[in-house]
Amino acid sequence: MKKLFTLILVVFSYCSAFSQGHYNGSSFNPGDYFAPHAGFIIPVWYGFADMNYYNAEGKQSDRLINPAPGNPTTLDIKQNVKTHSFILMAIYGGKGKILGANWGIMAIPMVNSPTANIALDYYSSQTGSGSYTFKNKTMGFGDMYVQPVWLSWTKEKFSYAFNYGFWAPTGKFKPHGLDNQGLGYWSHNIRGAVRYKPTKKVGVTVATTFEINQWQKDIDFKEGSHLTIDMGGTYLLDNRGDEVGLFANHQTQISDDKGTNGGFASDRIYGIGGFGSYWITPKKIGVMARITQNFAAKNRFSGTAVQVGVNILIPTDH
Protein backbone atom coordinates (compact mmCIF):
# COMPACT_ATOMS: atom_id res chain seq x y z
CA MET A 1 0.00 0.00 0.00
CA LYS A 2 2.93 2.41 0.30
CA LYS A 3 2.83 3.12 -3.41
CA LEU A 4 -0.83 4.09 -3.30
CA PHE A 5 -0.39 6.85 -0.77
CA THR A 6 2.58 8.59 -2.29
CA LEU A 7 0.87 8.88 -5.65
CA ILE A 8 -0.71 12.08 -4.40
CA LEU A 9 2.67 13.76 -4.59
CA VAL A 10 2.73 13.63 -8.38
CA VAL A 11 0.59 16.76 -8.42
CA PHE A 12 3.36 18.90 -7.01
CA SER A 13 4.67 19.56 -10.49
CA TYR A 14 1.79 21.88 -11.11
CA CYS A 15 2.61 24.07 -8.16
CA SER A 16 6.37 24.13 -8.28
CA ALA A 17 6.46 25.58 -11.78
CA PHE A 18 9.96 27.01 -12.12
CA SER A 19 10.48 26.56 -15.83
CA GLN A 20 9.29 27.28 -19.32
CA GLY A 21 6.94 24.70 -20.76
CA HIS A 22 4.58 22.80 -18.48
CA TYR A 23 6.51 19.91 -16.96
CA ASN A 24 8.95 20.49 -14.10
CA GLY A 25 11.55 18.13 -12.69
CA SER A 26 10.77 16.14 -9.52
CA SER A 27 7.05 16.45 -10.19
CA PHE A 28 6.71 12.83 -9.08
CA ASN A 29 8.06 11.14 -6.00
CA PRO A 30 10.47 8.31 -6.90
CA GLY A 31 7.84 5.58 -6.52
CA ASP A 32 5.06 7.41 -8.34
CA TYR A 33 6.01 6.76 -11.96
CA PHE A 34 4.53 3.28 -11.61
CA ALA A 35 0.84 2.55 -12.08
CA PRO A 36 -1.35 2.04 -9.01
CA HIS A 37 -3.49 -1.07 -8.66
CA ALA A 38 -5.96 -0.24 -5.93
CA GLY A 39 -9.04 1.54 -7.20
CA PHE A 40 -9.66 5.26 -6.85
CA ILE A 41 -7.24 7.72 -5.24
CA ILE A 42 -8.40 11.30 -4.56
CA PRO A 43 -5.68 13.69 -3.39
CA VAL A 44 -6.48 17.22 -2.22
CA TRP A 45 -3.58 19.55 -1.53
CA TYR A 46 -2.23 23.08 -1.20
CA GLY A 47 1.14 24.33 -2.41
CA PHE A 48 3.20 27.50 -2.15
CA ALA A 49 6.25 28.50 -4.20
CA ASP A 50 8.57 31.51 -3.92
CA MET A 51 10.71 32.22 -7.01
CA ASN A 52 13.20 34.70 -8.49
CA TYR A 53 14.63 35.09 -11.99
CA TYR A 54 18.16 33.89 -12.83
CA ASN A 55 19.91 35.06 -15.99
CA ALA A 56 22.12 33.24 -18.52
CA GLU A 57 25.08 33.45 -16.12
CA GLY A 58 23.06 31.77 -13.39
CA LYS A 59 22.86 34.93 -11.27
CA GLN A 60 19.72 36.36 -9.66
CA SER A 61 18.85 39.38 -11.74
CA ASP A 62 16.23 42.09 -12.28
CA ARG A 63 17.08 42.26 -15.97
CA LEU A 64 15.74 39.98 -18.69
CA ILE A 65 18.20 40.06 -21.61
CA ASN A 66 17.12 39.75 -25.27
CA PRO A 67 13.73 38.12 -24.62
CA ALA A 68 12.93 37.68 -28.32
CA PRO A 69 14.02 38.89 -31.78
CA GLY A 70 12.62 42.35 -32.45
CA ASN A 71 11.92 42.99 -28.79
CA PRO A 72 14.01 45.31 -26.61
CA THR A 73 17.51 44.17 -25.75
CA THR A 74 16.77 44.29 -22.01
CA LEU A 75 13.79 44.61 -19.70
CA ASP A 76 13.93 45.61 -16.06
CA ILE A 77 11.59 43.25 -14.23
CA LYS A 78 10.13 43.14 -10.74
CA GLN A 79 11.70 40.19 -8.93
CA ASN A 80 9.93 37.55 -6.89
CA VAL A 81 6.91 35.59 -8.06
CA LYS A 82 4.82 33.78 -5.45
CA THR A 83 2.44 30.97 -6.38
CA HIS A 84 -0.50 29.46 -4.50
CA SER A 85 -2.19 26.32 -5.83
CA PHE A 86 -5.16 24.15 -4.87
CA ILE A 87 -5.51 20.76 -6.52
CA LEU A 88 -8.24 18.15 -6.66
CA MET A 89 -6.72 15.14 -8.39
CA ALA A 90 -8.38 11.97 -9.67
CA ILE A 91 -6.43 8.70 -10.10
CA TYR A 92 -7.75 5.28 -11.06
CA GLY A 93 -5.78 2.06 -10.82
CA GLY A 94 -7.34 -0.37 -13.27
CA LYS A 95 -8.27 -4.02 -12.88
CA GLY A 96 -6.42 -6.75 -14.73
CA LYS A 97 -3.49 -6.20 -17.11
CA ILE A 98 -2.78 -4.36 -20.34
CA LEU A 99 0.13 -5.83 -22.32
CA GLY A 100 1.03 -7.67 -19.14
CA ALA A 101 1.29 -4.41 -17.20
CA ASN A 102 -0.55 -2.79 -14.32
CA TRP A 103 -2.31 0.29 -15.62
CA GLY A 104 -3.93 3.49 -14.48
CA ILE A 105 -5.19 6.89 -15.60
CA MET A 106 -5.15 10.33 -13.98
CA ALA A 107 -6.63 13.79 -14.47
CA ILE A 108 -5.48 16.96 -12.72
CA PRO A 109 -7.56 20.14 -12.93
CA MET A 110 -6.14 22.95 -10.83
CA VAL A 111 -6.88 26.37 -9.43
CA ASN A 112 -3.81 28.57 -8.99
CA SER A 113 -2.33 32.02 -8.98
CA PRO A 114 -0.10 32.63 -12.02
CA THR A 115 3.01 30.48 -11.98
CA ALA A 116 6.56 31.57 -12.76
CA ASN A 117 6.43 30.23 -16.30
CA ILE A 118 3.38 32.43 -16.91
CA ALA A 119 5.29 35.40 -15.50
CA LEU A 120 8.25 34.64 -17.76
CA ASP A 121 5.92 34.33 -20.76
CA TYR A 122 4.53 37.77 -19.91
CA TYR A 123 7.95 39.40 -19.57
CA SER A 124 9.44 37.87 -22.71
CA SER A 125 6.46 38.90 -24.86
CA GLN A 126 6.75 42.64 -24.12
CA THR A 127 7.59 44.86 -27.10
CA GLY A 128 8.70 48.05 -25.36
CA SER A 129 11.76 48.79 -23.27
CA GLY A 130 11.53 49.95 -19.66
CA SER A 131 10.48 48.47 -16.33
CA TYR A 132 7.76 45.84 -16.00
CA THR A 133 6.10 44.50 -12.88
CA PHE A 134 4.12 41.26 -12.79
CA LYS A 135 1.27 42.08 -10.36
CA ASN A 136 -1.32 39.41 -11.13
CA LYS A 137 -2.58 38.04 -7.80
CA THR A 138 -5.86 36.54 -8.99
CA MET A 139 -6.81 32.88 -8.67
CA GLY A 140 -8.28 30.91 -11.56
CA PHE A 141 -8.37 27.61 -13.44
CA GLY A 142 -5.00 26.74 -14.91
CA ASP A 143 -3.97 24.34 -17.66
CA MET A 144 -5.08 20.75 -17.04
CA TYR A 145 -2.94 17.60 -17.11
CA VAL A 146 -4.33 14.25 -18.30
CA GLN A 147 -2.36 10.97 -18.34
CA PRO A 148 -4.31 8.35 -20.31
CA VAL A 149 -1.35 5.97 -20.74
CA TRP A 150 0.19 4.73 -17.46
CA LEU A 151 1.74 1.28 -17.62
CA SER A 152 4.22 -0.54 -15.37
CA TRP A 153 5.79 -3.98 -15.31
CA THR A 154 7.59 -5.73 -12.45
CA LYS A 155 10.16 -8.51 -12.74
CA GLU A 156 11.89 -9.65 -9.58
CA LYS A 157 13.57 -6.58 -8.01
CA PHE A 158 13.01 -4.30 -11.01
CA SER A 159 9.97 -2.30 -12.14
CA TYR A 160 9.58 -0.51 -15.48
CA ALA A 161 7.11 2.19 -16.51
CA PHE A 162 5.95 3.93 -19.67
CA ASN A 163 3.72 7.00 -19.37
CA TYR A 164 2.16 9.43 -21.81
CA GLY A 165 0.31 12.55 -20.68
CA PHE A 166 -0.70 15.88 -22.16
CA TRP A 167 -1.36 19.40 -20.91
CA ALA A 168 -4.56 20.96 -22.27
CA PRO A 169 -4.63 24.80 -22.48
CA THR A 170 -7.72 25.17 -20.26
CA GLY A 171 -6.37 28.19 -18.35
CA LYS A 172 -7.29 31.70 -19.44
CA PHE A 173 -4.84 33.03 -22.04
CA LYS A 174 -4.56 36.06 -24.30
CA PRO A 175 -1.40 37.31 -26.03
CA HIS A 176 0.75 39.52 -23.75
CA GLY A 177 -1.95 39.37 -21.05
CA LEU A 178 -1.10 40.17 -17.45
CA ASP A 179 -4.03 38.13 -16.06
CA ASN A 180 -3.27 34.85 -17.86
CA GLN A 181 -3.80 31.60 -15.94
CA GLY A 182 -2.42 29.27 -18.61
CA LEU A 183 0.28 29.17 -21.29
CA GLY A 184 -1.98 28.97 -24.32
CA TYR A 185 -0.54 25.81 -25.86
CA TRP A 186 -0.65 22.01 -25.66
CA SER A 187 2.29 20.04 -24.28
CA HIS A 188 2.99 16.30 -24.59
CA ASN A 189 4.99 14.35 -21.98
CA ILE A 190 6.58 11.01 -22.89
CA ARG A 191 8.23 9.26 -19.96
CA GLY A 192 10.12 6.06 -19.16
CA ALA A 193 11.19 4.96 -15.68
CA VAL A 194 12.99 2.10 -13.95
CA ARG A 195 13.08 1.21 -10.24
CA TYR A 196 15.35 -1.16 -8.35
CA LYS A 197 14.34 -2.51 -4.92
CA PRO A 198 17.28 -4.26 -3.23
CA THR A 199 15.04 -4.82 -0.19
CA LYS A 200 11.32 -4.55 0.54
CA LYS A 201 11.85 -1.21 2.27
CA VAL A 202 14.29 0.51 -0.11
CA GLY A 203 13.67 1.68 -3.67
CA VAL A 204 15.86 3.60 -6.15
CA THR A 205 14.31 5.19 -9.27
CA VAL A 206 15.54 6.91 -12.44
CA ALA A 207 13.10 8.44 -14.95
CA THR A 208 13.43 10.42 -18.17
CA THR A 209 10.73 12.78 -19.48
CA PHE A 210 10.64 14.31 -22.97
CA GLU A 211 8.26 17.27 -23.37
CA ILE A 212 7.10 18.46 -26.80
CA ASN A 213 5.22 21.78 -27.00
CA GLN A 214 2.80 22.98 -29.68
CA TRP A 215 2.26 26.47 -31.12
CA GLN A 216 0.96 29.13 -28.75
CA LYS A 217 -2.57 30.41 -29.35
CA ASP A 218 -2.76 33.52 -31.57
CA ILE A 219 1.03 34.04 -31.38
CA ASP A 220 3.75 32.98 -33.82
CA PHE A 221 5.67 31.15 -31.08
CA LYS A 222 6.50 27.54 -30.23
CA GLU A 223 8.39 26.73 -27.03
CA GLY A 224 11.39 24.43 -27.50
CA SER A 225 11.36 20.86 -26.21
CA HIS A 226 12.77 19.95 -22.79
CA LEU A 227 14.46 16.83 -21.45
CA THR A 228 14.25 16.03 -17.74
CA ILE A 229 16.12 13.38 -15.77
CA ASP A 230 14.60 12.56 -12.37
CA MET A 231 16.13 10.30 -9.74
CA GLY A 232 15.55 9.48 -6.11
CA GLY A 233 15.14 6.95 -3.35
CA THR A 234 12.42 5.89 -0.92
CA TYR A 235 12.41 4.16 2.46
CA LEU A 236 9.36 2.37 3.86
CA LEU A 237 9.12 3.09 7.58
CA ASP A 238 6.69 0.33 8.56
CA ASN A 239 4.08 -2.15 7.33
CA ARG A 240 1.39 0.58 7.35
CA GLY A 241 2.95 2.17 4.28
CA ASP A 242 4.38 5.31 5.91
CA GLU A 243 7.31 6.48 3.81
CA VAL A 244 10.09 9.05 3.45
CA GLY A 245 12.35 9.81 0.50
CA LEU A 246 14.72 12.10 -1.37
CA PHE A 247 14.66 13.19 -5.02
CA ALA A 248 16.64 15.26 -7.51
CA ASN A 249 16.35 16.37 -11.13
CA HIS A 250 18.04 18.09 -14.03
CA GLN A 251 16.01 19.76 -16.78
CA THR A 252 17.35 21.39 -19.93
CA GLN A 253 16.03 22.79 -23.19
CA ILE A 254 17.11 20.60 -26.11
CA SER A 255 15.60 22.40 -29.11
CA ASP A 256 15.24 26.04 -30.10
CA ASP A 257 12.05 28.07 -29.87
CA LYS A 258 10.31 28.68 -33.19
CA GLY A 259 8.38 31.55 -34.73
CA THR A 260 8.88 35.29 -35.06
CA ASN A 261 8.42 35.63 -31.29
CA GLY A 262 10.83 32.77 -30.61
CA GLY A 263 14.54 32.88 -29.91
CA PHE A 264 14.47 33.17 -26.15
CA ALA A 265 17.74 31.86 -24.72
CA SER A 266 17.93 28.16 -23.84
CA ASP A 267 17.40 27.33 -20.19
CA ARG A 268 18.35 24.77 -17.57
CA ILE A 269 17.68 24.03 -13.91
CA TYR A 270 18.53 21.54 -11.15
CA GLY A 271 16.46 20.60 -8.14
CA ILE A 272 16.62 18.57 -4.95
CA GLY A 273 14.09 17.82 -2.23
CA GLY A 274 12.45 15.40 0.15
CA PHE A 275 9.04 14.13 1.21
CA GLY A 276 7.23 12.21 3.91
CA SER A 277 3.84 10.47 4.03
CA TYR A 278 1.77 9.12 6.90
CA TRP A 279 -1.47 7.14 7.04
CA ILE A 280 -3.99 8.53 9.54
CA THR A 281 -6.28 5.60 8.78
CA PRO A 282 -4.33 2.88 6.94
CA LYS A 283 -5.52 2.30 3.38
CA LYS A 284 -8.16 5.07 3.69
CA ILE A 285 -6.88 8.53 4.68
CA GLY A 286 -3.34 9.89 4.78
CA VAL A 287 -1.35 13.12 4.94
CA MET A 288 1.93 14.18 3.36
CA ALA A 289 4.41 17.02 3.10
CA ARG A 290 7.06 17.89 0.54
CA ILE A 291 9.74 20.51 -0.10
CA THR A 292 11.74 21.26 -3.27
CA GLN A 293 14.73 23.58 -3.69
CA ASN A 294 15.94 24.53 -7.16
CA PHE A 295 19.46 25.76 -7.99
CA ALA A 296 21.93 26.45 -10.84
CA ALA A 297 19.10 27.90 -12.94
CA LYS A 298 19.79 29.77 -16.18
CA ASN A 299 17.20 31.91 -17.98
CA ARG A 300 14.50 30.72 -15.57
CA PHE A 301 12.70 31.48 -12.38
CA SER A 302 13.96 29.35 -9.51
CA GLY A 303 13.23 29.02 -5.80
CA THR A 304 11.59 26.95 -3.08
CA ALA A 305 8.26 25.11 -3.10
CA VAL A 306 6.42 23.60 -0.12
CA GLN A 307 3.32 21.40 -0.32
CA VAL A 308 0.96 19.72 2.13
CA GLY A 309 -2.04 17.54 1.39
CA VAL A 310 -4.59 14.90 2.27
CA ASN A 311 -5.09 11.65 0.37
CA ILE A 312 -8.28 9.57 0.19
CA LEU A 313 -8.16 5.97 -1.03
CA ILE A 314 -11.24 4.11 -2.22
CA PRO A 315 -10.14 0.51 -2.89
CA THR A 316 -11.87 -1.84 -5.31
CA ASP A 317 -11.78 -5.62 -5.49
CA HIS A 318 -9.31 -7.14 -7.98
Side-chain angles (χ1 to χ4, degrees):
M1 301 302 298
K2 59 182 183 300
K3 166 170 83 169
L4 307 177
F5 178 74
T6 58
L7 280 167
I8 182 174
L9 300 173
V10 66
V11 301
F12 292 151
S13 57
Y14 317 113
C15 168
S16 56
F18 300 128
S19 69
Q20 299 166 79
H22 282 101
Y23 180 72
N24 299 275
S26 298
S27 296
F28 291 77
N29 280 337
D32 296 345
Y33 301 97
F34 308 92
H37 203 60
F40 293 93
I41 306 169
I42 304 174
V44 181
W45 64 279
Y46 162 77
F48 171 78
D50 188 352
M51 297 152 283
N52 290 283
Y53 178 72
Y54 290 78
N55 62 21
E57 297 179 352
K59 297 179 180 179
Q60 186 174 323
S61 175
D62 291 317
R63 180 158 291 185
L64 187 67
I65 300 175
N66 191 24
N71 283 2
T73 301
T74 62
L75 294 175
D76 292 324
I77 65 178
K78 177 65 176 178
Q79 269 293 354
N80 197 272
V81 175
K82 293 181 171 62
T83 298
H84 300 271
S85 297
F86 297 90
I87 303 292
L88 174 63
M89 180 177 173
I91 296 172
Y92 177 69
K95 296 181 179 180
K97 304 279 187 178
I98 296 179
L99 300 176
N102 290 338
W103 63 278
I105 56 176
M106 74 168 73
I108 308 175
M110 70 176 182
V111 175
N112 64 274
S113 57
T115 54
N117 48 0
I118 294 174
L120 188 56
D121 180 75
Y122 166 76
Y123 284 130
S124 60
S125 66
Q126 300 309 311
T127 58
S129 60
S131 297
Y132 290 79
T133 302
F134 189 78
K135 294 181 178 178
N136 186 356
K137 298 182 187 227
T138 62
M139 298 288 290
F141 286 102
D143 293 344
M144 180 176 179
Y145 182 72
V146 178
Q147 187 167 290
V149 179
W150 192 2
L151 303 172
S152 62
W153 300 261
T154 299
K155 184 176 182 181
E156 297 178 351
K157 295 183 178 181
F158 287 89
S159 294
Y160 309 90
F162 173 78
N163 307 330
Y164 164 74
F166 61 86
W167 286 84
T170 53
K172 178 182 178 181
F173 176 82
K174 62 179 180 180
H176 319 307
L178 181 59
D179 60 347
N180 288 338
Q181 297 292 334
L183 289 174
Y185 55 82
W186 295 77
S187 294
H188 304 273
N189 291 172
I190 302 170
R191 178 180 301 110
V194 59
R195 177 177 60 190
Y196 172 62
K197 295 192 70 175
T199 71
K200 291 183 179 180
K201 290 190 173 185
V202 176
V204 180
T205 299
V206 177
T208 300
T209 301
F210 180 50
E211 180 172 74
I212 304 170
N213 302 302
Q214 294 186 211
W215 290 90
Q216 196 166 38
K217 179 182 178 182
D218 298 328
I219 297 180
D220 186 23
F221 172 72
K222 183 179 180 181
E223 171 68 29
S225 298
H226 286 79
L227 181 68
T228 307
I229 299 175
D230 293 296
M231 62 199 73
T234 58
Y235 182 77
L236 185 63
L237 296 173
D238 50 44
N239 293 329
R240 292 162 34 93
D242 304 328
E243 191 175 42
V244 294
L246 298 173
F247 50 80
N249 76 86
H250 170 53
Q251 185 176 73
T252 187
Q253 184 173 337
I254 59 174
S255 68
D256 294 335
D257 301 338
K258 295 182 179 180
T260 56
N261 286 320
F264 190 83
S266 295
D267 52 83
R268 77 169 194 197
I269 198 167
Y270 293 83
I272 190 169
F275 74 93
S277 62
Y278 174 76
W279 284 104
I280 298 174
T281 302
K283 303 181 182 181
K284 291 184 179 180
I285 299 176
V287 295
M288 81 297 181
R290 193 175 198 259
I291 185 169
T292 306
Q293 177 63 54
N294 289 80
F295 62 95
K298 290 187 176 182
N299 294 314
R300 291 182 182 248
F301 279 87
S302 176
T304 304
V306 179
Q307 301 87 19
V308 294
V310 177
N311 193 46
I312 301 170
L313 172 63
I314 305 174
T316 58
D317 295 330
H318 293 277

